[in-house]
């Protein structure tokens, strides 16, 4: 097969990747060895007690609701969980007393410093993402030439996104039906955040409309905000993309008159990519900081293991599904993009590690564009396909939405017939498109799926504890899906 090979990584890039890998591995080691001490030093037991107290109160409330609805069995089940939660509160109180006795000043200082590194990296990425989306999309669109061609590329891109998203959902449904991770699950420590509780009455249509116009209390607005400058100021990537599409299209249609503006955007895009390359230097320390912080927040290695143990089958189902989908993406890349999947995967490694540490496709976008261009994807394809993909192409999220919804049904003992599975297939595909590329966004749009099939939205509480972990994995697959899309569309454009 005549393949378009990724350019061999230049020695500087290989070195960059090695540094990032060392940063990530070091983070896991530091988190495992020192995580619990830092968790104690950073007030972990206090936060755990607060959370557990809220959980116990919520159980009492849910039990009363169940009693009122005439479901005594459920009310008794929920009440029986309260003493177990109280026991856990006592354990954490003891840890709090122990922490007060130990000299933990150094660990606290070290944790603050490590968190600072992660924070700075994330801020740098977010700082650059809005201008990058604007310039790269305008450049990508204007270099496509006429409107007819632009429309065709747009349609191909959307078709690619829809098909791969649908494949991911089918895979998710198959995996969760085969493994059945939700059967016999213990939901004693499940807690539904107030935000989700307040939103759980939203209808499917209501949620979709919300994606378009935004929530009334959200200054960022939705896909179509009242004020694009305010929306961009709030890092509303979806609105920035839509505006860039319209603006770029209009510039392309303006012919010679639009040329000075096109030149300006090309120069600005060049400069912004230089800033991205500068930010890349900070990636090893940033990724180290983000990973250690997350491990510490969940309670060190012990906290991670406890959560993984409780929801191990769910983690396994999602991980296996995502792995198989990655293989599917590699096949697509090989067949339609005519590229060596292994090389392309290696070329995208820095972006994938950034996705794993930030849990955000949007924050990873600068890296994704940089890596894809380095791998030989043309600027016009990368500039057009990748920003669009970062918000609407979410294969990992689509797979996860299906797995999570069926998992919640299994845990609640609700049987799902073929009709319900079709509804899950359709809504999970839409929910993934609607989810913005930010951490744990998939959890909110999961409400669309649950409401559509009439599943208990409070079931989200069961997966809330582990979502931070699954979010990283699905974000990495989202980013890889975008990158494969860019390579496939690029080849099609070149043809
Ligand atoms: N965090 C994911 C992303 O940015 C979205 C999700 O929550 O599934 O791609």
């Amino acid at each position: 097969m005549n393949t378009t090979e990724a350019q061999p990584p230049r020695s500087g890039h290989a070195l960059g990747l090695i540094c990032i890998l060392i940063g990530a591995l070091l983070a896991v080691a530091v988190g495992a060895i020192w995580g619990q001490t830092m968790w104690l030093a950073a007030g972990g037991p206090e936060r755990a007690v607060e959370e557990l107290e809220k959980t116990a109160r919520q159980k009492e409330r849910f039990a009363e609701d169940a009693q009122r609805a005439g479901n005594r069995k459920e009310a008794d089940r929920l009440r029986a969980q309260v003493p177990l939660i109280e026991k856990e509160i006592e354990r954490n109180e003891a840890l709090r007393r122990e922490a007060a006795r130990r000299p933990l000043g150094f660990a606290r200082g070290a944790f603050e410093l490590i968190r600072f590194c992660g924070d700075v990296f994330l801020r740098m990425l977010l700082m650059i993402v809005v201008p990058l989306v604007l310039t790269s999309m305008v450049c990508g669109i204007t270099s496509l030439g006429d409107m007819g061609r632009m429309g065709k590329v747009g349609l191909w891109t959307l078709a690619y996104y829809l098909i791969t998203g649908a494949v991911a959902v089918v895979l998710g449904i198959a995996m969760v039906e085969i493994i059945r991770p939700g059967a016999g699950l213990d939901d004693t420590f499940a807690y539904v955040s107030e935000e989700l509780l307040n939103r759980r009455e939203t209808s499917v249509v209501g949620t979709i409309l919300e994606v378009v116009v935004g929530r009334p209390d959200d200054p960022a607005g939705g896909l179509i905000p009242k004020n694009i400058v305010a929306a961009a100021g709030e890092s509303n990537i979806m609105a920035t993309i839509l505006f860039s599409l319209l603006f770029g299209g209009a510039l392309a249609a303006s012919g010679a008159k639009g040329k000075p503006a096109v030149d300006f955007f090309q120069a600005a895009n060049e400069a912004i990519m230089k800033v991205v390359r500068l930010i890349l230097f900070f990636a090893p320390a940033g990724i180290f900081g983000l990973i250690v912080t997350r491990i510490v927040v969940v309670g060190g290695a012990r906290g991670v293991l406890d959560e993984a143990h409780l929801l191990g089958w769910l983690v396994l189902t999602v991980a296996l599904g995502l792995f198989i989908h990655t293989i599917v993406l590699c096949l697509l890349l090989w067949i339609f993009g005519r590229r060596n999947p292994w090389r392309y995967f290696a070329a995208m490694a820095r972006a994938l590690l950034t996705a794993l540490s930030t849990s955000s496709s949007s924050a990873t976008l600068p890296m994704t564009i940089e890596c894809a261009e380095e791998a030989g994807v043309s600027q016009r394809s990368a500039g057009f396909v990748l920003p669009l993909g970062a918000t609407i192409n979410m294969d990992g999220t689509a797979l996860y939405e299906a797995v999570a919804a069926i998992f919640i049904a299994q845990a609640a003992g609700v049987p799902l017939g073929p009709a319900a599975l079709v509804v899950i297939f359709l809504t999970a595909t839409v929910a993934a498109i609607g989810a913005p590329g930010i951490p744990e966004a998939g959890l909110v749009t999961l409400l669309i799926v649950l409401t559509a099939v009439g599943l208990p939205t409070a079931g989200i509480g069961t997966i809330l504890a582990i979502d931070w972990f699954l979010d990283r994995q699905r974000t990495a697959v989202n980013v890889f899906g975008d990158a494969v899309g860019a390579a496939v569309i690029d080849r099609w454009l070149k043809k």
Side-chain angles (χ1 to χ4, degrees):
M1 189 179 280
N2 176 20
T3 55
T4 321
E5 295 298 335
Q7 287 166 7
R10 279 178 256 152
S11 60
H13 303 151
L15 187 68
L17 177 60
I18 290 170
C19 290
I20 290 177
L21 270 173
I22 292 175
L25 291 176
L26 209 62
V28 174
V30 169
I33 296 167
W34 214 24
Q36 211 196 3
T37 314
M38 285 200 266
W39 175 74
L40 286 175
E46 278 96 319
R47 273 199 310 279
V49 168
E50 258 171 47
E51 194 73 11
L52 287 162
E53 281 173 348
K54 279 196 287 185
T55 310
R57 282 199 296 274
Q58 195 172 70
K59 296 281 173 186
E60 306 266 16
R61 208 163 80 218
F62 285 173
E64 275 166 30
D65 290 348
Q67 183 104 33
R68 239 176 280 131
N71 190 349
R72 268 203 61 189
K73 209 170 138 209
E74 176 65 1
D76 290 346
R77 190 184 76 85
L78 288 166
R79 286 206 181 101
Q81 291 179 341
V82 176
L84 297 173
I85 301 174
E86 279 165 354
K87 222 164 133 195
E88 192 57 19
I89 294 179
E90 273 166 31
R91 192 179 74 85
N92 277 284
E93 288 284 12
L95 283 174
R96 174 153 68 177
R97 284 192 294 275
E98 186 201 318
R101 279 196 303 271
R102 279 173 59 180
L104 291 170
F106 179 70
R108 194 175 306 123
F111 177 60
E112 290 300 329
L113 203 65
I114 291 172
R115 184 161 56 183
F116 175 78
C117 287
D119 225 30
V120 168
F121 178 55
L122 194 60
R123 277 164 180 264
M124 288 200 288
L125 287 174
L126 292 173
M127 171 185 80
I128 204 71
V129 79
V130 169
L132 174 66
V133 166
L134 182 67
T135 59
S136 68
M137 283 213 80
V138 169
C139 290
I141 293 165
T142 48
S143 61
L144 285 178
D146 61 287
M147 292 295 250
R149 189 167 166 167
M150 215 177 321
K152 256 196 221 155
V153 178
L155 279 181
W156 270 98
T157 310
L158 289 182
Y160 168 85
Y161 288 166
L162 265 179
I163 294 168
T164 51
V167 169
V169 175
V170 171
L171 201 59
I173 294 178
M175 297 307 297
V176 71
E177 286 290 353
I178 295 169
I179 301 180
R180 300 193 63 75
L185 187 89
D186 175 11
D187 68 345
T188 306
F189 297 102
Y191 171 73
V192 197
S193 69
E194 287 305 315
E195 199 215 349
L196 282 174
L197 264 186
N198 293 338
R199 301 186 58 154
R200 68 181 186 173
E201 299 311 332
T202 0
S203 65
V204 179
V205 178
T207 315
I208 294 174
L209 293 185
E210 220 175 61
V211 170
V212 179
V213 294
R215 265 181 291 146
D217 57 335
D218 185 0
L223 178 64
I224 309 175
K226 280 191 218 151
N227 178 342
I228 184 63
V229 180
E234 292 291 332
S235 294
N236 178 344
I237 307 295
M238 265 201 286
T240 314
I241 285 178
L242 182 68
F243 178 79
S244 313
L245 269 175
L246 295 173
F247 186 66
L251 264 186
S254 308
K257 272 198 176 156
K259 179 90 177 39
V262 174
D263 289 344
F264 165 79
F265 275 98
Q266 257 156 10
N269 191 51
E270 234 354 273
I272 285 176
M273 286 312 289
K274 284 205 163 60
V275 178
V276 171
R277 267 163 236 143
L278 265 180
I279 296 175
L280 260 166
F281 278 115
F282 197 69
I287 287 175
F288 170 79
L290 287 169
I291 296 180
V292 173
T293 305
R294 194 62 238 196
I295 296 177
V296 171
V297 168
V298 262
R302 190 190 153 161
V304 176
L305 289 179
D306 280 354
E307 283 178 3
H309 175 70
L310 196 65
L311 292 159
W313 286 108
L314 175 65
V315 175
L316 183 80
T317 311
V318 175
L320 214 57
L322 292 176
F323 178 69
I324 298 175
H325 190 69
T326 307
I327 294 177
V328 172
L329 288 172
C330 286
L331 284 175
L332 288 178
L333 181 69
W334 187 55
I335 297 168
F336 298 109
R338 295 286 168 95
R339 279 173 180 273
N340 177 329
W342 178 243
R343 274 196 172 199
Y344 196 62
F345 190 86
M348 295 307 299
R350 284 173 298 163
L352 299 180
L353 282 166
T354 309
L356 276 175
S357 59
T358 60
S359 298
S360 166
S361 305
S362 297
T364 309
L365 185 61
M367 295 288 211
T368 320
I369 295 183
E370 165 72 7
C371 292
E373 287 185 8
E374 263 173 37
V377 174
S378 72
Q379 196 269 332
R380 63 181 173 179
S381 309
F384 176 72
V385 178
L386 292 175
L388 211 56
T391 50
I392 64 172
N393 181 42
M394 301 210 175
D395 294 357
T397 304
L399 185 143
Y400 178 73
E401 305 259 348
V403 170
I406 300 174
F407 171 82
I408 288 171
Q410 288 169 353
V414 180
L416 294 172
L421 290 184
V422 172
V423 175
I424 289 182
F425 166 73
L426 293 174
T427 47
T429 313
V430 173
I433 293 174
I438 56 172
E440 308 208 337
L443 214 53
V444 178
T445 53
L446 179 60
L447 285 172
I448 301 182
V449 189
L450 295 179
T451 333
V453 271
L455 284 168
T457 42
I460 288 188
T462 342
I463 50 175
L464 212 58
I466 199 75
D467 193 61
W468 66 272
F469 187 60
L470 303 175
D471 192 10
R472 277 146 211 271
Q473 302 174 23
R474 63 184 189 252
T475 307
V477 173
N478 291 345
V479 168
F480 190 58
D482 300 340
V484 170
V488 170
I489 302 287
D490 193 43
R491 167 145 194 280
W492 180 76
L493 266 174
K494 278 180 186 151
K495 265 170 75 187

Coordinates of all heavy atoms in Angstrom, one line a residue, residues 2 52 71 82 89 135 146 207 325 343 365 382 412 446 456:
N2 N 0.5 2.2 -0.8 CA 1.3 3.4 -0.9 C 0.9 4.4 0.2 O -0.1 5.0 0.2 CB 1.0 4.1 -2.3 CG 1.6 5.4 -2.5 OD1 2.6 5.7 -1.7 ND2 1.1 6.2 -3.4
L52 N -18.7 13.3 52.8 CA -19.4 12.2 53.3 C -20.6 12.6 54.1 O -21.7 12.0 54.1 CB -18.5 11.4 54.3 CG -17.4 10.5 53.5 CD1 -16.3 10.1 54.4 CD2 -18.1 9.3 52.9
N71 N -42.2 3.5 48.0 CA -41.2 2.5 47.7 C -40.4 2.2 49.0 O -39.3 2.7 49.2 CB -40.3 2.9 46.6 CG -39.4 1.8 46.1 OD1 -39.3 0.8 46.7 ND2 -38.7 2.1 45.0
V82 N -26.6 4.6 55.7 CA -26.1 5.8 56.5 C -25.1 5.3 57.5 O -24.0 6.0 57.6 CB -27.3 6.5 57.1 CG1 -26.8 7.7 58.0 CG2 -28.2 7.1 55.9
I89 N -16.9 8.4 58.0 CA -16.6 9.7 58.5 C -15.7 9.6 59.7 O -14.7 10.4 59.8 CB -18.0 10.4 58.9 CG1 -18.8 10.7 57.7 CG2 -17.7 11.7 59.7 CD1 -20.2 11.3 57.9
T135 N -7.7 32.0 14.4 CA -6.8 32.2 13.2 C -6.6 30.9 12.4 O -6.6 30.9 11.2 CB -5.4 32.6 13.7 OG1 -4.9 31.7 14.6 CG2 -5.4 34.0 14.3
D146 N -13.1 28.1 -2.9 CA -14.4 28.5 -3.2 C -15.4 27.8 -2.2 O -15.1 26.9 -1.5 CB -14.9 28.2 -4.6 CG -14.8 26.7 -4.9 OD1 -13.7 26.2 -5.0 OD2 -15.9 26.1 -4.9
T207 N -32.3 20.3 26.9 CA -30.9 20.2 27.0 C -30.3 20.6 25.6 O -29.2 21.3 25.6 CB -30.4 18.8 27.4 OG1 -31.2 18.4 28.4 CG2 -29.0 18.7 27.8
H325 N -11.7 0.8 20.1 CA -12.1 1.9 19.2 C -10.8 2.5 18.6 O -10.8 2.9 17.5 CB -12.9 2.9 19.9 CG -13.5 3.9 18.9 ND1 -14.4 3.7 18.0 CD2 -13.1 5.2 18.7 CE1 -14.7 4.7 17.2 NE2 -13.9 5.7 17.7
R343 N 3.2 5.0 13.5 CA 4.0 6.3 13.4 C 3.2 7.5 13.7 O 3.6 8.4 14.3 CB 4.5 6.5 12.0 CG 5.8 5.7 11.7 CD 6.4 6.3 10.5 NE 7.8 5.8 10.3 CZ 8.6 6.4 9.5 NH1 8.3 7.5 8.9 NH2 9.8 5.9 9.4
L365 N -6.1 21.3 22.2 CA -6.1 21.7 20.8 C -4.8 22.3 20.3 O -4.3 21.9 19.2 CB -7.3 22.6 20.6 CG -7.5 23.0 19.1 CD1 -7.8 21.8 18.2 CD2 -8.7 24.0 19.0
A382 N -5.6 20.7 9.1 CA -5.4 20.7 10.6 C -6.2 21.9 11.1 O -7.0 21.8 12.1 CB -4.0 20.9 10.9
A412 N -29.3 -0.2 38.7 CA -30.6 0.0 39.2 C -31.6 -1.2 39.0 O -32.7 -1.1 39.4 CB -31.2 1.3 38.6
L446 N -24.7 13.4 29.7 CA -25.2 12.0 30.0 C -26.7 12.1 30.4 O -27.5 11.2 30.2 CB -24.4 11.4 31.0 CG -24.8 9.9 31.5 CD1 -24.8 9.0 30.3 CD2 -23.9 9.5 32.6
P456 N -32.9 6.5 36.1 CA -32.8 7.4 37.2 C -31.5 8.3 37.1 O -30.4 7.7 37.1 CB -32.6 6.4 38.4 CG -32.2 5.1 37.9 CD -32.8 5.1 36.5

